[in-house]
Structures are given as structure tokens and as C-alpha cells.
Amino acid sequence: METLEPQPDRESGRLADNILYFARTLRAAGLPVGPGKVLDAIEAATTVGFARREDFYWTLHAVFVNRRDQQELFDQAFHVFWRNPQILERVMSLLLPDITPMAGQQPDNADELSRRLTDVLRPKDRDDGLPHEEEEQTEIDAVMTFSNKEVLQEIDFEKMSAEELAEAKRAIQAMRLPIMEVPTRRYQAARQGQRADLRATMRAGLRSGGDTIPLRWKRERRRHPPLVVLCDISGSMSRYSRMLLHFMHAVTSDRDRVHSFVFGTRLTNITRHLRHKDVDVAVEKVSESVVDWSGGTRIGACLHDFNVTWARRVLGQGAVVLLISDGLDRDNAEGLSGEIERLHKSCRRLIWLNPLLRYEAYEPRSMGAKAMIDHVDDFRTIHNLESLSELSAVLSHAPQRREEGLTSWQSKQA
């Protein structure tokens, strides 16, 4: 392929400049775009041509998009950045005008875009000599981009900007999950206890020559139970599941015996990937291994796969299960009631985390939610940092089944 050489004429420079500006927009919104991809995009666009808008879209898509979770953001950015319907005719003649956001200019459909893209397209303070209201613009920027720690705790993951998402990810990595300790069948030596250790007592008597027999004690050994996380990655949960992957990585790095699974139309074990120390590498490996990201949901079939294939391996010693899902099932909850009941009976505690519960008027009306609600011990929301902190507090003690979360939610509905 012939290499695209830099052209000194003004029109070619404009084409390269606008592709560069588009790449900067993607990078600011969170996509990993570097100088190499910019050069590849310019060369690919020149090679493919601009006869059709669809060809131009997929040319840039092939260069800038590497993972499934990047598709939605790229699609929004493309249609806003290249929103002029006559743009391709101008690109064909290399007369694309400079796309520089003016003060006060906003996309027509800004309300429908994600906050990350809206924040990127918002005009910044520039020293370009153009008239603009400095005081008003500065005030708007400060309100929209600044958030202290307390405000960040309450912002919904779905409504966070790119800067807030990065800060939330750092906060999640610092989280610790103080799961309660439970007694095991084994014992350990203790200075005082309720049970005498006869073997240790006899050995101590032999060492002293039999003149005295010092009494030795033992107590129950306590240990954190295994933790199993089942996270829904369907289209309706995709924005939350991306953040929860960071939470799952933090928990996996903090303790042993943590098993993580994701499910959409099929079940995928991602425990091995989340053991990588670098969270970005871990999330990248998860994205490569999952083939049903942002698709449909078959909760019953996935739970059946888990109960048959993995339950005996990971649910031993009284495991605690976190089921993260909105309860929307495309199979009309076929077989879900039996599978969720089997899962409930196989674990110490089953906690259902549903981001839809953040709405006060929420009721489990879908068939999947109705099948699940009767077989969980706790029912809580998970949509922001505050809800993750509350989850840590809940797991720090061991209540009786259906004592707190589910019962309190039912009392609010009554």
C-alpha cells in the first residue's frame, strides 16, 4: 500500500486536521487512541475513499474501535462530529471546513448522548481571540466538571462524566470488602478456650517428664467464606457491568477464594483474568474472552450452566453469592425459578444486587424478577459508590436469612 505523504497544500491539511481532532475527541472520551492510529486512520480514509458515508464510518471504526464496549461511544461521537449531511461531498474534494466548537455551540441531540461525550464536546477556555463570555462560561465549566468526594458518592454510574468515571474507578480500587468470618470444622491452638486439646496436653506432659500435665486449649478456626460473583453483562446492564468489573477486580486482589462469572446469553468464568494485578490489563482480557457482551439475557440457562458445571467447585464451605442483574430475561424466565432456588439452597447467603432498585417506585413486575425475588436473602441496589459502600457494611456481619435487606424492602412496599 502506498504511504500517504504529507501534503503542503491547505486543503489536505484540513482533512488531516479534522481526522486528528476527531481522534482527540475519542481519546478525551476514554478510547485508547494514539498517534499511530491517527496516521492509520488518515491513510485508510484516503485509500478507501469517501464515496459513501457508510464506508467512511466503517473505515474509521476499524481503526479506532478495538472492543465491543467502545462501539456505542464511537457511534455517538461519529454522528455528532460529522453531523453535516453534506460532509462527505466536501471531504471528497478535500474541502472539509475546520470543525472547531464555538462558544455556546452544542450538539442538537446532546440530551441523548452520554455525559462523557457531552463533556468532551463542551467548549473549553481558548485564547483564540474570539469573543465569548468568560465569566459565564467559566462558571458553567466549573459546575459541570467539578464534583467533590461526597457528591461523587451519590452520582449514578450511568450519568458520570469521563473525569468522574476515572475518579470513581480509583475509589473502587481502594475499596475493601470486610466479609464476616465464619467458624470452620477445624480447630487451632488457643491460650484459653472452651475445649481442651487432649493431644497437645499429652505431648506437653511428656516433655515435662510426667511430673506435671499442663492443660492445653483449642478453639474453632474462623475464616472468610468463599465469595462468588455472578454479573449480568447484557445490553440493559452494560454501563453498570463495566464499572462493576473494577469492583470485582478490587475484591479479587484483596482476598483469596473469590470466583467471578459474567453472563448474558452464556456463562463465562473470568476469575483467572481478574487475578492480574493491573486492572486495565485484566479488563482487557475479560473483554477478549467474553463473546456475548451487551447482548440478550438468558438468566435461567446461565444459572443452570453454573449449577451443573461450577456449583460443586466454588460453593463449598458456605460461599456467599452476589447476583448482579436487573432481572430482565429474554426467555420469559423459563426454568429460572428452579435454578435460582437450587442456587439459594447451595450457598450460605444469596444477595441480589439490582441497579433498578434505585427507583423508589420499582416493583419486580418482569417474569424474571418475579421468579428470583422469592429465593434471595437480601435485595439491594448497586448503582453508585454509596451503594458499594453499603454492600461492604452488609457483608461485614452474618444476619439470619431474609432478616434485613429483603424484609425491609418488602415492608416499604406494604
Side-chain angles (χ1 to χ4, degrees), residues 53 77-87 99-101 105-109 121:
R53 180 183 179 88
F78 181 88
H79 288 95
V80 171
F81 190 90
W82 311 95
R83 61 186 177 275
N84 190 337
Q86 309 297 330
I87 203 69
I99 299 181
T100 304
Q105 180 182 3
Q106 295 291 342
D108 296 336
N109 58 342
L121 296 178

Side-chain angles (χ1 to χ4, degrees), residues 1 4 9 30 43 59 113 126 154 172 194 211 215 294 296 310 336 396:
M1 180 180 297
L4 181 64
D9 58 283
E43 183 176 359
T59 299
L113 300 178
R126 295 176 287 106
E154 301 178 357
I172 289 175
Q194 298 179 348
D211 296 336
L215 193 59
S294 298
W310 296 101
L336 177 56
S396 62

